[in-house]
Amino acid sequence: MGKSLFEKVWDAHTVRTLSNGQTQLLIGTHLLHEVTSPQAFGMLRDLDLKVAYPHRTFATVDHIVPTDSRVEPFADPLADAMINELRKNCAETGVTFFDMNTGKQGIVHVVGPEQGITQPGTTIACGDSHTSTHGAFGAIAFGIGTTQIRDLLATQTMALTQLKVRKVEVNGSLRPGVYAKDVILHIIRKLGVNGGTGFAYEYAGEVFENFSMEERMTVCNMSIEGGARVGYINPDEKTFEYLKGRPYSPKGEEWEAAVENWKSFASDPDCEYDDVVVIDAADIAPTVTWGINPAQAITIEESIPTVDSVKESEKAITAEALEYMKLEGGAPIKGTKVDVCFVGSCTNGRLSDFEEVAKYLKGHKVAPGVKAIAVPGSQIVDAICKEKGIDAIYREAGFEWREAGCSMCLAMNPDKLIGDQLSASSSNRNFKGRQGSPTGRTVLMSPVMVAAAAIRGEISDSREVFDIRETANA
Amino acid sequence: MALEKITQVTGRGVTVAGDEIDTDRIIPARFMKCVTFDSMGEYLFYDVRKNEDGSDKKHPLNEERFQGASILLSGANFGCGSSREHAPQAIYRYGFRGIIAESYAEIFFGNCTTLGIPCFIATKEDIAKISAAVDADPSLEITLDVENEKIVFGDQSVTAVIRETAKKALVAGKWDMIGELKEAEAEIAAVAAKLPYMAK
């Protein structure tokens, strides 16, 4: 019987079985950022341990960087201390650091793929739950805590329990105006916010085969929002095409050998999955969240659920969400007034996200009273957008074009909601207080839907705002 | 590295009710601007515990009768969201030494075990029973019996589950894995040598 990609990668990286029954797994690629790593370096110093494989750890700074001015020292002394701590830790241990002066800084999950560090058939870990993003390349990528960062720095391995594998198949073609973000919000809505606990999700079927690498990253990125620590897509020609010529991709004769090796990791056609879910692409519409977790989502055409309409086990959380969001059950979500619009994050902060929005933004203006910001996922995304004049289209429409970072996805920098502002956001979490104000409200959606909300000043159907129609032969 | 063998944890309880209590709720991101975990305990559940002016909101952790509690009770999918170890560090540094919930998010569960915090899984009904007993008598002692997978409170007890790998690690005093991971240096090098991308 064949094996899944997850099993093949797991087997190739297994060191041994530990006394508690877990596997000691080699993690070939370790990514670091400034928020979850300083304590790990501190623990290493306390234990007098060295970084075992410094050439396999790569760092950047993303969460705390201001996106308006990068002049140092930063206005926030705590943020300034954090970037300098990371600089010091990398310099002392020989870890590669994509600092702001390299032109390669950005959100760690944008930088890894962009540099060609993220490769098929590898294991990747980072002290960040959205590490699942890298699974888009057929890597097995884990979000980890700080003590595990220490373990990785000291040994390049960590203790893990093997996951089961659920194949999530989405077949058919997406309707016009439906994006990767809608696909993953739909999956989370269907399978639940904890439906993936204990599983790795293998995304398969025509929709993912047809997706670009960046669309695949958007889907894998939010696996954890459905409880799945790992999400991946089997590598194919698109994967190899994306990686060819990137700074850390294999070169010359090593390239051919690497591609052959990468192909061998794809799931075998006869492998058995622990579970299979099949979804029809035609059932997916532009999707938005209405509540306080990413599974509390509806299509733009639906009404917000009432407490009475949901099953018993969801009544309490539905009531809690409606109260927090100040929304009325039974009312349409369309037409809800927005205060802030955010395009960016490790979910939707890549070149194609900004390009797609720019296609529709031309000739439109952000509604009066709405604050709209666009934050590129990396300095490279920023540079390409500027080269192509994309930033100008955003500015002309009334968006602020910022510098690269995580920004308003979790508001660890100065970009925050104020009071109970409602934000239309292309990010990944709508938890209470997520965007920096303890009473701030977040509605997750695709970047094009964010642009539609910005223009109308209320949550809108982007297909109506931008006249995106079903083609005659669709 | 010799670690304490955690076979059981005893203390008073407090319930923070609700499902899907995420890591942003446990420790809001703005308090992670730090290079140590030292002050995390102060900010546990901050935004649901404190008003913006720093005064107390109505919250079980603010109630006098629950001060000193070291067993935290909650609902389903506790600790969902981010991988931030700041969340279990805040729980530990506030003074909690064990958690009882219906279920846990994967990464959070692993982070807790690494800090030596047993995470017990109990049914909704049993958690409600323990919560009611704690509410009636906040001085009630609760024991999380890791070895025998049961929760004893007053003269009652319920069976509960702790994941096998976590149980073994806690009971053997090997919940912090660094010592054991380090032992395998030669095996690690052998696996790395077979992987082309690990080459310098």
Side-chain angles (χ1 to χ4, degrees):
Chain A
M1 201 196 11
K3 283 183 179 177
S4 68
L5 177 139
F6 182 88
E7 292 169 286
K8 292 185 197 182
V9 176
W10 183 274
D11 291 350
H13 290 79
T14 294
V15 175
R16 59 175 182 157
T17 303
L18 296 162
S19 63
N20 67 353
Q22 286 188 296
T23 300
Q24 182 170 4
L25 198 73
L26 180 87
I27 300 296
T29 303
H30 182 201
L31 305 173
L32 281 182
H33 63 72
E34 75 283 10
V35 178
T36 55
S37 68
Q39 300 86 350
F41 283 103
M43 294 175 197
L44 279 194
R45 282 190 277 271
D46 289 347
L47 295 168
D48 199 21
L49 293 171
K50 299 235 168 321
V51 177
Y53 294 80
H55 72 293
R56 292 311 307 163
T57 297
F58 305 88
T60 190
V61 56
D62 51 14
H63 287 62
I64 54 98
V65 285
T67 59
D68 48 0
S69 164
R70 289 169 173 266
V71 177
E72 292 186 64
F74 296 153
D76 179 348
L78 296 172
D80 202 63
M82 290 173 82
I83 189 170
N84 285 311
E85 184 78 9
L86 183 57
R87 273 186 193 132
K88 182 191 82 175
N89 286 331
C90 291
E92 280 179 4
T93 57
V95 164
T96 303
F97 180 34
F98 299 110
D99 202 345
M100 295 192 300
N101 63 3
T102 62
K104 298 170 181 171
Q105 170 268 341
I107 307 175
V108 65
H109 310 309
V110 178
V111 171
E114 208 167 60
Q115 292 298 318
I117 293 166
T118 302
Q119 295 176 10
T122 62
T123 48
I124 300 176
C126 176
D128 194 286
S129 59
H130 294 112
T131 307
S132 56
T133 309
H134 306 268
F137 291 79
I140 297 301
F142 300 91
I144 58 174
T146 296
T147 302
Q148 284 179 311
I149 296 175
R150 174 207 64 184
D151 294 348
L152 276 191
L153 289 170
T155 72
Q156 204 67 28
T157 66
M158 60 184 194
L160 279 163
T161 303
Q162 188 163 3
L163 298 168
K164 292 182 282 186
V165 182
R166 171 181 291 144
K167 187 182 187 185
V168 181
E169 224 177 282
V170 185
N171 293 315
S173 304
L174 293 174
R175 288 146 59 192
V178 178
Y179 292 99
K181 182 63 157 288
D182 303 307
V183 173
I184 187 62
L185 285 173
H186 181 88
I187 291 170
I188 296 165
R189 178 187 179 187
K190 292 293 164 201
L191 302 182
V193 73
N194 59 355
T197 307
F199 284 98
Y201 281 177
E202 176 177 309
Y203 301 103
E206 291 154 307
V207 164
F208 303 113
E209 285 163 19
N210 293 331
F211 269 171
S212 68
M213 289 313 293
E214 297 196 343
E215 291 173 305
R216 293 178 188 183
M217 285 187 246
T218 296
V219 171
C220 291
N221 171 273
M222 287 188 69
S223 300
I224 187 66
E225 310 310 334
R229 191 177 190 176
V230 166
Y232 68 88
I233 293 170
N234 282 305
D236 60 9
E237 291 304 324
K238 271 187 195 162
T239 319
F240 312 141
E241 187 54 38
Y242 177 99
L243 285 171
K244 198 161 189 184
R246 299 214 172 239
Y248 285 84
S249 295
K251 309 242 167 359
E253 55 195 35
E254 281 179 16
W255 171 258
E256 295 303 326
V259 170
E260 279 319 299
N261 178 40
W262 292 342
K263 282 181 182 166
S264 72
F265 282 101
S267 294
D268 295 323
D270 62 339
C271 76
E272 261 188 37
Y273 295 93
D274 298 288
D275 191 30
V276 178
V277 173
V278 181
I279 290 168
D280 184 351
D283 291 342
I284 307 174
T287 299
V288 297
T289 59
W290 57 269
I292 52 171
N293 70 56
Q296 290 181 319
I298 50 177
T299 70
I300 188 66
E301 294 139 347
E302 285 176 273
S303 296
I304 300 161
T306 60
V307 174
D308 291 339
S309 69
V310 299
K311 57 184 184 199
E312 193 57 40
S313 61
E314 285 171 13
K315 287 193 190 303
I317 188 104
T318 300
E320 185 185 348
L322 289 172
E323 190 193 345
Y324 181 83
M325 293 298 291
K326 300 180 178 156
L327 293 173
E328 198 188 322
I333 188 88
K334 203 162 92 175
T336 305
K337 191 181 162 300
V338 302
D339 303 297
V340 175
C341 293
F342 170 57
V343 178
S345 86
C346 60
T347 313
N348 282 122
R350 296 185 180 78
L351 177 61
S352 57
D353 296 309
F354 295 102
E355 273 180 329
E356 186 67 17
V357 171
K359 245 168 63 184
Y360 296 110
L361 211 50
K362 263 189 194 159
H364 288 286
K365 292 278 181 202
V366 170
V370 172
K371 181 187 175 73
I373 66 169
V375 185
S378 71
Q379 290 182 310
I380 291 177
V381 171
D382 183 37
I384 300 173
C385 283
K386 283 177 174 156
E387 213 176 277
K388 295 188 163 196
I390 291 171
D391 64 318
I393 296 171
Y394 277 80
R395 286 198 176 103
E396 180 61 26
F399 270 81
E400 292 173 38
W401 184 269
R402 298 292 190 84
E403 305 219 46
C406 298
S407 178
M408 201 170 252
C409 177
L410 85 169
M412 278 193 73
N413 76 343
D415 310 334
K416 298 178 196 309
L417 297 183
I418 300 162
D420 68 353
Q421 280 184 326
L422 189 135
S423 154
S425 180
S426 75
S427 56
N428 43 56
R429 285 194 178 128
N430 52 341
F431 295 157
K432 288 181 178 177
R434 172 74 179 182
Q435 292 188 293
S437 163
T439 50
R441 298 171 292 160
T442 303
V443 178
L444 302 176
M445 58 186 79
S446 74
V448 172
M449 285 283 283
V450 173
I455 289 160
R456 288 281 172 88
E458 56 187 39
I459 295 173
S460 307
D461 190 334
S462 56
R463 298 170 300 187
E464 293 167 6
V465 177
F466 301 123
D467 198 21
I468 304 170
R469 295 170 197 222
E470 309 264 347
T471 49
N473 58 358
Chain B
M1 204 166 48
L3 292 171
E4 182 197 351
K5 292 181 171 143
I6 301 175
T7 52
Q8 63 171 48
V9 172
T10 298
R12 293 187 288 114
V14 61
T15 306
V16 175
D19 294 338
E20 321 291 350
I21 292 184
D22 57 71
T23 48
D24 279 83
R25 196 103 51 95
I26 297 171
I27 182 87
R30 64 184 185 280
F31 299 118
M32 300 199 295
K33 274 191 268 179
C34 54
V35 295
T36 72
F37 288 127
D38 297 349
S39 58
M40 284 303 104
E42 296 167 39
Y43 304 118
L44 178 65
F45 292 119
Y46 193 88
D47 287 341
V48 280
R49 216 156 50 84
K50 300 277 184 186
N51 291 306
E52 286 187 46
D53 63 4
S55 60
D56 281 355
K57 285 185 186 175
K58 187 175 158 21
H59 189 274
L61 293 195
N62 292 335
E63 287 187 47
E64 190 53 42
R65 61 195 186 124
F66 296 127
Q67 297 310 304
S70 60
I71 310 283
L72 178 65
L73 293 109
S74 195
N77 204 24
F78 187 69
C80 59
S82 141
S83 63
R84 62 185 71 160
E85 190 171 305
H86 304 67
Q89 289 278 359
I91 289 170
Y92 187 86
R93 285 164 195 264
Y94 184 89
F96 289 107
R97 293 295 178 266
I99 309 176
I100 307 171
E102 282 172 63
S103 59
Y104 300 88
E106 191 86 18
I107 306 176
F108 176 84
F109 177 88
N111 284 340
C112 283
T113 305
T114 307
L115 299 182
I117 306 172
C119 290
F120 274 64
I121 298 167
T123 63
K124 196 181 187 69
E125 293 69 33
D126 284 343
I127 293 172
K129 221 191 286 178
I130 304 168
S131 283
V134 167
D135 194 52
D137 175 12
S139 72
L140 183 77
E141 248 188 21
I142 302 173
T143 295
L144 303 182
D145 184 341
V146 180
E147 258 182 320
N148 301 305
E149 300 194 49
K150 65 177 181 180
I151 301 168
V152 182
F153 54 110
D155 54 5
Q156 303 182 69
S157 83
V158 295
T159 57
V161 179
I162 179 159
R163 193 189 280 184
E164 191 60 24
T165 49
K167 177 181 166 178
K168 277 190 184 161
L170 291 166
V171 169
K174 288 189 170 183
W175 34 274
D176 182 339
M177 306 299 289
I178 188 71
E180 201 175 339
L181 294 173
K182 279 289 283 177
E183 287 166 10
E185 277 172 356
E187 291 105 310
I188 296 168
V191 174
K194 284 190 265 174
L195 298 164
Y197 76 105
M198 288 294 294
K200 268 195 187 167

